[in-house]
Amino acid sequence: MQINGTMTVKKILTGLLLALAGPLTVSAQLVIYHGHAGSPTELAVCADLQADLESVTGASVQVAPEPAKITGAGHYFVVGTPASSRLVADMIKENKLRLQGDGLIRTSGPITLLAGATAEGMQNTVYDYCRTTLRIDPLRYWTGREPGKIRPAE
């Protein structure tokens, strides 16, 4: 009789642990940060990146003005130009990076930098990232080709 009681307790505890762990393991937080001086073009590009990330990860992606410092668990995208985003300017300077051509794509740990020397360069950089890394077909509206699912950290 004690074995039955022990087994019931184990089943209850297992059920509770699974119920509590479920919400904690859904997916990592994804946030796109833009500069406070971002142009309407930059903000529209952030919205496009948000839609593409949500379509391939299934996660909810937030778009927000850049904070003073990035903290917390998750994956963060810093999008902009050195002129529009203090974070972009600081990351380029601190890491001795150079903006060549249209822009720069750099991932370091949980932060992906998508920067351009100009708003147009940043736009091209973000769309290149979506095409190459997220495997988004830029003509999907006409082709109907939907991207495959990926994990947020890929």
Side-chain angles (χ1 to χ4, degrees), residues 31-114:
V31 181
I32 300 167
Y33 288 125
H34 59 80
H36 291 282
S39 68
T41 299
E42 292 177 80
L43 298 178
V45 169
C46 287
D48 288 345
L49 176 60
Q50 177 186 29
D52 288 346
L53 284 167
E54 286 178 345
S55 82
V56 299
T57 65
S60 177
V61 179
Q62 298 173 358
V63 177
E66 64 188 7
K69 183 178 180 183
I70 296 175
T71 59
H75 192 89
Y76 304 93
F77 294 84
V78 178
V79 179
T81 68
S84 69
S85 168
R86 184 196 47 75
L87 276 178
V88 169
D90 289 351
M91 291 173 76
I92 289 171
K93 184 177 179 180
E94 288 169 9
N95 295 295
K96 297 180 174 88
L97 302 172
R98 294 181 54 173
L99 288 173
Q100 298 177 358
D102 276 339
L104 174 70
I105 300 170
R106 186 69 44 109
T107 299
S108 178
I111 301 172
T112 297
L113 173 64
L114 301 171

Side-chain angles (χ1 to χ4, degrees), residues 21 38 75 85 92 100 103 128-129 136 143 147 149:
H75 192 89
S85 168
I92 289 171
Q100 298 177 358
D128 186 51
Y129 176 84
I136 299 291
T143 65
K149 296 290 183 193

